[in-house]
């Protein structure tokens, strides 16, 4: 087991780099839960394979998979994708993997958060979650990277950074009573600064409409770089998302980042709205925690993409809006290649491309 430090990353000179910085590896986890993924998770598995292949052309990919699914995953994935047997409860690597910090001197360490399935016994989506909560430490061990145990509940999808001193999050998620009810907003903010080496935390009010993670920031915005924000948008005043996007835009238009920059905001129109079909809902085993019923609105978002080594993996979700989303992202990332992957099957499980990936930064 790699060393776990009892100090704080910021005090040790470490900070979380932006997602646009170079990556050594992308981690993913193989989907198989029948109460979250329809038809025995086979459609989702096919989509995860396509995402992994698109990433692996520019960044090495490791897929964790249960013992029962190992042979299946290994046979479906190309040889250049590493497959590692590891126990998980589901497949949201963004939230269960380590958040990496670096020090600019060629060292990196992982931060292990506490994971409680987006709400624990208050409004968590499944139980148990003990295997998910061990993943971050296991990944650090595989890379022989030293780490920190933060000791409070956080998911990787609830934070975004510009890599230049600014962290973006939102109150709906981090201040939710199901996360860290014994901590004040000020204490949570200080802990984020201490563990991620940040100078300023920007707190948006809400997350995307009907997001079952209590509104993860990575569904509402993406940080394209210092002072550049991609924002999920709609012009439809009858859509409940309209007010949320308006509030976020007004808020972001009136803040400055850690370096005093005003923010350039790129609006990307949300897909749909998208809803579960009868057929999709019928293919899922019923469970208590997750709403998977026909007519249920899904939290579809083009902001939920991955940036890795000069490439963007963009979820394709709606033929009416996919091309427009690609154009907006190309403006925000003029040097990047944009590769689209049909991603409805990931959305059916409650997230998207960003949610199922976690990067290991290069040092």
């Amino acid at each position: 087991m790699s060393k776990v430090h009892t100090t704080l990353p910021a005090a040790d000179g470490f900070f979380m780099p932006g997602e646009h910085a170079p990556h050594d590896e992308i981690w993913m986890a193989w989907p198989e839960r029948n109460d979250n993924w329809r038809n025995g998770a086979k459609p989702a598995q096919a989509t995860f394979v396509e995402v992994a292949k698109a990433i692996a052309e520019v960044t090495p990919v490791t897929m964790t998979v249960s013992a029962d699914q190992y042979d299946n995953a290994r046979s479906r994935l190309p040889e250049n994708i590493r497959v590692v047997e590891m126990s998980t409860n589901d497949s949201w690597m963004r939230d269960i993997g380590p958040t990496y910090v670096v020090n600019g001197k060629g060292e990196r360490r992982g931060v292990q958060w506490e994971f409680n399935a987006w709400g624990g016994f208050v409004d968590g989506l499944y139980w148990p979650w003990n295997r998910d909560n061990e993943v971050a430490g296991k990944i650090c061990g595989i890379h022989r990277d030293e780490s920190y145990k933060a000791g409070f509940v956080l998911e990787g999808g609830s934070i975004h950074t510009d890599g230049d001193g600014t962290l973006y999050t939102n109150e709906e998620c981090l201040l939710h009573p199901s996360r860290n009810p014994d901590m004040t907003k000020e204490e949570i903010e200080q802990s984020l600064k201490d563990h991620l080496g940040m100078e300023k935390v920007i707190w948006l009010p809400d997350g995307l409409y009907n997001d079952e993670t209590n509104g993860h920031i990575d569904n509402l915005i993406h940080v394209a770089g210092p002072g550049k924000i991609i924002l999920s948008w709609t012009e439809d005043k009858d859509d409940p998302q309209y007010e949320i996007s308006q509030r976020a835009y007004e808020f972001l238009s009136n803040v400055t980042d850690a370096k005093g920059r005003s923010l350039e905001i790129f609006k990307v129109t949300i897909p749909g709205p998208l809803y579960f079909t009868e057929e999709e809902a019928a293919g899922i085993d019923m469970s208590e925690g997750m709403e998977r019923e026909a007519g249920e609105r899904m939290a579809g978002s083009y902001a939920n993409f991955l940036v890795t080594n000069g490439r963007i993996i963009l979820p394709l979700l709606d033929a009416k809006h996919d091309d427009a989303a690609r154009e907006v992202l190309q403006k925000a990332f003029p040097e990047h290649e944009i590769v689209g992957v049909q991603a409805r099957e990931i959305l059916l499980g409650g997230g998207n491309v960003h949610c199922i990936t976690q990067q290991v930064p290069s040092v």
Side-chain angles (χ1 to χ4, degrees):
M1 183 172 161
S2 302
K3 180 176 180 179
V4 177
H5 292 266
T6 54
T7 49
L8 289 166
D12 294 342
F14 285 81
F15 69 95
M16 180 184 174
E19 196 174 302
H20 47 276
H23 300 162
D24 269 3
E25 191 87 26
I26 296 288
W27 283 77
M28 298 176 65
W30 190 250
E32 59 174 288
R33 278 185 85 104
N34 292 326
D35 62 351
N36 193 37
W37 307 103
R38 71 192 187 106
N39 300 350
K42 289 297 172 266
Q45 289 170 4
T47 302
F48 275 54
V49 168
E50 291 308 309
V51 171
K53 281 161 62 176
I55 296 167
E57 289 176 4
V58 294
T59 309
V61 174
T62 300
M63 184 77 71
T64 68
V65 61
S66 70
D68 289 346
Q69 282 283 316
Y70 185 88
D71 289 344
N72 178 40
R74 182 64 281 173
S75 65
R76 289 173 184 271
L77 288 159
E79 287 177 9
N80 64 332
I81 291 171
R82 176 168 64 167
V83 179
V84 173
E85 188 180 313
M86 190 183 292
S87 302
T88 62
N89 300 107
D90 202 359
S91 45
W92 304 104
M93 188 56 81
R94 176 68 48 183
D95 295 340
I96 63 178
T99 298
Y100 268 95
V101 290
V102 299
N103 67 357
K105 299 174 187 168
E107 296 177 281
R108 72 176 173 225
R109 294 173 182 172
V111 178
Q112 303 182 47
W113 312 107
E114 291 298 312
F115 178 77
N116 73 355
W118 312 278
F121 294 115
V122 178
D123 65 346
L125 299 185
Y126 52 70
W127 181 87
W129 52 77
N130 57 312
R131 291 171 177 170
D132 280 348
N133 201 28
E134 293 169 348
V135 167
K138 291 177 179 178
I139 288 175
C140 291
I142 287 171
H143 283 287
R144 293 190 168 86
D145 289 328
E146 297 174 2
S147 66
Y148 301 90
K149 283 196 170 177
F152 71 103
V153 175
L154 188 101
E155 304 97 34
S158 68
I159 52 173
H160 255 309
T161 179
D162 64 356
D164 197 27
T166 311
L167 190 79
Y168 296 83
T169 188
N170 58 353
E171 295 176 346
E172 181 186 347
C173 184
L174 262 60
L175 302 187
H176 198 278
S178 66
R179 296 307 197 280
N180 299 288
D182 53 339
M183 293 174 75
T184 64
K185 181 179 177 179
E186 290 69 32
E187 288 169 335
I188 292 171
E189 178 167 319
Q190 192 56 52
S191 200
L192 291 170
K193 289 177 176 176
D194 289 342
H195 285 93
L196 300 170
M198 296 293 142
E199 298 158 43
K200 183 171 185 174
V201 178
I202 292 178
W203 292 85
L204 280 88
D206 325 279
L208 202 75
Y209 176 69
N210 214 31
D211 186 338
E212 63 188 2
T213 63
N214 306 119
H216 271 185
I217 196 76
D218 70 350
N219 241 354
L220 183 71
I221 69 166
H222 205 295
V223 181
K228 289 165 70 173
I229 304 290
I230 312 278
L231 172 64
S232 294
W233 190 255
T234 179
E235 296 284 354
D236 180 3
K237 292 183 178 172
D238 295 328
D239 190 325
Q241 180 59 38
Y242 180 81
E243 293 292 340
I244 295 170
S245 293
Q246 292 287 332
R247 267 198 301 276
Y249 182 76
E250 188 176 348
F251 179 84
L252 291 168
S253 300
N254 289 294
V255 295
T256 52
D257 67 14
K259 299 293 189 276
R261 283 177 287 247
S262 293
L263 305 177
E264 184 181 5
I265 304 165
F266 298 83
K267 299 172 180 173
V268 61
T269 300
I270 57 170
L274 304 173
Y275 303 89
F276 267 90
T277 66
E278 293 276 357
E279 183 194 355
E280 288 164 346
I284 296 165
D285 290 354
M286 298 304 283
S287 75
E288 283 182 24
M290 295 174 276
E291 290 290 326
R292 301 285 181 267
E293 296 169 4
E296 176 76 17
R297 175 153 170 185
M298 297 183 285
S301 167
Y302 292 114
N304 204 303
F305 59 86
L306 174 72
V307 188
T308 182
N309 292 341
R311 177 174 281 196
I312 287 170
I313 314 299
L314 172 67
L316 301 179
L317 295 164
D318 181 351
K320 291 198 298 288
H321 294 294
D322 289 347
D323 289 345
R326 187 189 291 268
E327 284 171 28
V328 173
L329 294 195
Q330 198 70 76
K331 280 189 190 123
F333 293 91
E335 306 297 314
H336 284 64
E337 175 193 16
I338 298 176
V339 176
V341 177
Q342 292 295 336
R344 184 178 175 93
E345 293 296 337
I346 314 173
L347 181 57
L348 291 172
N352 229 293
V353 172
H354 196 253
C355 305
I356 65 169
T357 53
Q358 180 61 279
Q359 69 271 8
V360 179
S362 304
V363 287

